[in-house]
């Protein structure tokens, strides 16, 4: 049989590379062909934009009022702790009831709370307890919204497109995390924190309109109506008996707890390390978010090439090195570049935890299992933020970033004992 000549093979390579690139792009964006998924993604994107803008307003209002580092870090705790505490019941509700109805109710409640924050700021009554308390209540709405959103994805796209759909959802979240803080910093600089809260409220109005257009999933896709405690217990029993799920949750909580310092202390990086205001704070968070978009957008290709363990290890070391270098205060341009790298590593890992939780969950339990993974992910951020805030009070913001970065570099050693499961669960698991 005649072999192809070297010239023909060389000419064919660029065509094969272009074809492979088109296939990868098609696989990445194919879930958008499903109208229901496109509506869900658009609604979540708008709501997440508002959440990021509101978070900038709340954190900067605390900073502007002269709150200490541990109180400012509590804003991150207030944002993430309710998500951890409510994850199990919220995941059970997502499997028991109409997910569209849950999302609409959560958005309506968050709309009211955003307007309450704006009213407090406009009247000049902004004690730290009120800001943190209302931020925590907003997080309760997010805690109810997120499992219903995550559980809906598997019902509106084929299983073969589930990983791409989850990755697109993470891309959307981190697109909001990238642009939202930068926009929020500008809004706060121009109109104060109240304007950020009002913009957040408007984002919920748009999100409600988008989810209203989606008809929701048929009743057959939802769990039978049973007592809440029994539904939660069923999810807990499955997670306790599944070694892959236990490993995913352990790796998620340790990763986010060790790495929470950069997210929690970013207002103080701007105010103390750079002597800048809310606009630069927004840019710093925007750089983290932009890197997160890059990490989420490339996660599908990384999953094709590398094992889950290799991705998590590399992401942790990359993030840790970037935090160490930021702590050395190399100047704003270098910090922005380092934070882009850090954000990419952060989301490569969080994307891995989220997708693994979805793919290793039976469909009838997906709301509860993904809620548990989310609970420990955000619980790690909440607890880590509180701990790093106290550490910064004693050792300075740069000291906290140095310690967090070092912890992230050492943390991948845990994979020698608790190795991340393969990308795809066995067929009987689905």
């Amino acid at each position: 049989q005649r072999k192809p000549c070297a010239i023909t093979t060389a000419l064919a390579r660029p065509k094969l590379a272009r074809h492979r690139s088109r296939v990868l792009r098609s696989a990445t964006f194919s879930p958008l062909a499903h109208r229901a998924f496109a509506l869900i993604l658009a609604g979540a994107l708008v709501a997440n934009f508002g959440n990021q803008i509101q978070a900038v307003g709340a954190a900067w209002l605390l900073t502007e009022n002269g709150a200490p580092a541990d109180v400012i870090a509590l804003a991150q705790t207030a944002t993430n702790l309710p998500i951890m505490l409510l994850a199990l019941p919220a995941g059970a509700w997502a499997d028991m009831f109409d997910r569209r109805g849950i999302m609409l109710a959560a958005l309506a409640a968050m709309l009211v709370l955003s307007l309450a924050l704006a009213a407090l700021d406009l009247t000049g009554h902004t004690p730290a307890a009120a800001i943190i308390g209302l931020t925590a209540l907003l997080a309760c709405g997010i805690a109810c919204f997120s499992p219903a959103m995550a559980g809906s994805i598997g019902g509106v796209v084929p299983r073969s497109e589930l990983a791409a759909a989850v990755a697109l959802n993470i891309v959307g979240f981190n697109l909001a995390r990238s642009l939202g803080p930068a926009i929020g910093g500008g809004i706060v600089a121009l109109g104060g924190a109240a304007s950020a809260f009002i913009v957040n409220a408007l984002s919920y109005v748009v999100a409600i309109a988008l989810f209203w257009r989606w008809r929701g999933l048929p009743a057959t896709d939802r769990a039978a109506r049973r007592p809440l405690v029994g539904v939660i217990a069923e999810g807990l029993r499955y997670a306790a008996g599944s070694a892959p799920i236990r490993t995913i949750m352990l790796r998620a909580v340790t990763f986010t707890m060790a790495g929470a310092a950069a997210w929690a202390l970013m207002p103080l990086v701007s105010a103390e390390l750079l002597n800048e205001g809310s606009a630069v704070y927004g840019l710093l968070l925007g750089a983290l978010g932009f890197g997160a978009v890059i990490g989420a957008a490339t996660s599908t290709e990384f999953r094709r090439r590398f094992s889950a363990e290799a991705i998590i290890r590399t992401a942790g070391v990359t993030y840790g090195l970037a935090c160490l270098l930021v702590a050395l205060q190399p100047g704003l341009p270098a910090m922005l570049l380092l934070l882009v790298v850090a954000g990419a590593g952060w989301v490569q890992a969080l994307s891995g935890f989220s997708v693994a939780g979805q793919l290793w969950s039976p469909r009838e339990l997906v709301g509860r299992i993904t809620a548990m993974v989310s609970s420990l992910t955000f619980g790690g951020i909440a607890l880590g933020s509180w701990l790093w805030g106290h550490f910064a009070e004693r050792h300075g913001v740069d000291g906290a970033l140095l310690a967090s970065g070092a912890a992230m570099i050492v943390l991948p050693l845990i994979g020698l004992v608790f190795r991340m499961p393969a990308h795809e669960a066995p067929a009987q698991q689905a």
Side-chain angles (χ1 to χ4, degrees):
Q1 193 173 16
R2 200 176 167 190
K3 295 182 180 179
C5 71
I7 295 175
T8 304
T9 303
L11 290 173
R13 281 175 186 156
K15 294 181 180 179
L16 289 172
R18 287 195 296 270
H19 173 71
R20 184 171 181 274
S21 177
R22 284 195 296 270
V23 169
L24 284 174
R25 286 197 298 269
S26 174
T28 299
F29 296 103
S30 61
L32 293 174
H34 305 279
R35 179 178 180 273
F37 176 73
L39 283 174
I40 291 172
L41 188 65
L45 178 63
V46 172
N48 285 329
F49 257 103
N51 291 336
Q52 294 300 319
I53 292 170
Q54 182 273 334
V56 171
W60 191 254
L61 189 56
L62 289 170
T63 305
E64 195 174 44
N65 289 347
D70 53 347
V71 173
I72 292 170
L74 274 179
Q76 277 291 318
T77 301
T79 299
N80 293 288
L81 185 61
I83 298 175
M84 182 187 96
L85 297 177
L86 288 177
L88 283 176
W93 293 328
D95 285 338
M96 294 170 66
F97 302 111
D98 177 16
R99 291 167 184 157
R100 174 177 174 268
I102 292 172
M103 289 187 281
L104 287 171
L107 288 167
M110 291 191 288
L111 168 61
V112 173
L113 291 167
S114 296
L115 292 175
L117 270 170
L120 281 177
D121 191 29
L122 289 171
T123 56
H125 300 291
T126 55
I131 298 168
I132 292 171
L134 286 171
T135 298
L137 288 174
L138 273 165
C140 291
I142 297 170
C144 294
F145 175 90
S146 297
M149 161 68 182
S152 298
I153 293 175
V156 297
V157 300
R159 184 171 176 81
S160 61
E161 299 179 12
L162 180 58
V166 172
L168 281 174
N169 182 38
I170 295 170
V171 169
F173 174 78
N174 287 290
L175 181 63
R177 179 174 279 183
S178 172
L179 299 178
I183 295 170
I187 290 172
V188 171
L190 291 173
S195 59
F197 303 145
I198 291 170
V199 169
N200 185 32
L202 292 175
S203 77
Y204 293 141
V205 172
V206 175
I208 289 169
L210 287 167
F211 280 108
W212 197 266
R213 296 185 63 190
W214 173 47
R215 281 180 277 179
L217 298 172
T220 53
D221 189 71
R222 297 193 293 271
R225 304 297 170 82
R226 290 175 285 149
L228 178 64
V229 173
V231 176
I232 292 174
E234 183 183 20
L236 287 171
R237 282 194 300 271
Y238 181 84
S242 170
I245 295 296
R246 292 198 307 269
T247 297
I248 292 165
M249 293 193 293
L250 174 66
R251 299 297 294 274
V253 70
T254 53
F255 187 97
T256 53
M257 189 186 300
W263 298 95
L265 301 174
M266 202 53 65
L268 295 173
V269 172
S270 175
E272 294 186 8
L273 299 189
L274 294 172
N275 295 314
E276 298 286 354
S278 61
V280 169
Y281 167 48
L283 282 176
L284 293 171
L285 276 184
L288 271 171
F290 180 66
V293 171
I294 295 172
T298 56
S299 63
T300 301
E301 173 64 4
F302 272 76
R303 283 170 53 81
R304 292 175 186 271
R305 291 175 174 269
F306 306 106
S307 70
E309 181 61 33
I311 291 171
I312 301 303
R313 288 183 186 182
T314 305
V317 172
T318 300
Y319 181 86
L321 287 172
C323 288
L324 286 174
L325 293 172
V326 166
L328 299 178
Q329 305 177 44
L332 180 58
M335 274 191 186
L336 292 174
L337 180 60
L338 288 167
L339 289 174
V340 169
V341 174
W346 178 265
V347 166
Q348 279 288 347
L350 266 60
S351 172
F353 302 138
S354 179
V355 172
Q358 287 254 3
L359 291 178
W360 281 87
S361 301
R363 293 316 312 161
E364 67 273 13
L365 296 174
V366 67
R368 280 158 281 180
I369 300 301
T370 55
M372 288 182 213
V373 175
S374 176
S375 167
L376 290 171
T377 300
F378 286 97
I381 298 173
L383 180 57
S385 296
W386 179 73
L387 291 172
W388 289 121
H390 280 279
F391 191 95
E393 274 293 291
R394 291 174 174 269
H395 305 286
V397 176
D398 53 349
L401 290 174
L402 284 170
S404 175
M408 292 297 287
I409 292 171
V410 173
L411 185 63
L413 292 174
I414 197 174
L416 298 175
V417 180
F418 299 100
R419 186 178 181 83
M420 282 289 292
H423 287 308
E424 184 65 69
Q428 65 267 25
Q429 197 87 17

